[in-house]
Amino acid sequence: MKLPRRNFLDLAAGAAALPAVSRIAWAQAYPTRPVRLIAPFPAGGVVDLFSRLIGQPLSERLGQPVIIENRAGAGGNVGTEAVVRASPDGYTLLLITSTNAVSNLLA
């Protein structure tokens, strides 16, 4: 394979600039505030139990509290809609079940 001189110079310049760019592009800290985990079924059920079992280790791993919020109704669609309408910043999570897949097929 023959590499033209212009392509070689572009690659060389990119390789030389990479260390400077990598120091500038730091990732933002996540999370910096509590995370909400939406369980789309009533409290006391299996989904609520699993959300609480997942929430505790997740809270320890992230270093922020994980708030379990039960949004029951319409076969899980009320909770799913709450997550869809939340701001897309990664602070609102949804515990999905097989009901979400079935609801998607029926829509």
Side-chain angles (χ1 to χ4, degrees):
M1 181 178 140
K2 188 174 179 181
L3 184 65
R5 182 178 176 170
R6 177 165 286 210
N7 289 351
F8 174 75
L9 291 176
D10 287 343
L11 290 173
L18 185 62
V21 172
S22 65
R23 282 186 232 145
I24 296 169
W26 291 101
Q28 296 178 357
Y30 173 82
T32 57
R33 57 187 168 99
V35 176
R36 290 185 338 165
L37 178 62
I38 306 289
F41 289 96
V46 175
V47 175
D48 182 51
L49 174 69
F50 281 132
S51 64
R52 294 183 191 283
L53 287 173
I54 291 169
Q56 182 62 33
L58 185 62
S59 176
E60 293 169 1
R61 184 172 175 104
L62 294 176
Q64 290 289 334
V66 175
I67 300 166
I68 310 298
E69 187 177 327
N70 295 92
R71 290 280 188 100
N77 289 335
V78 172
T80 304
E81 184 181 2
V83 174
V84 168
R85 294 186 186 274
S87 61
D89 56 4
Y91 287 95
T92 305
L93 306 175
L94 175 67
L95 182 69
I96 63 168
T97 63
S98 60
T99 308
N100 294 94
V102 173
S103 294
N104 188 27
L105 293 174
L106 296 175

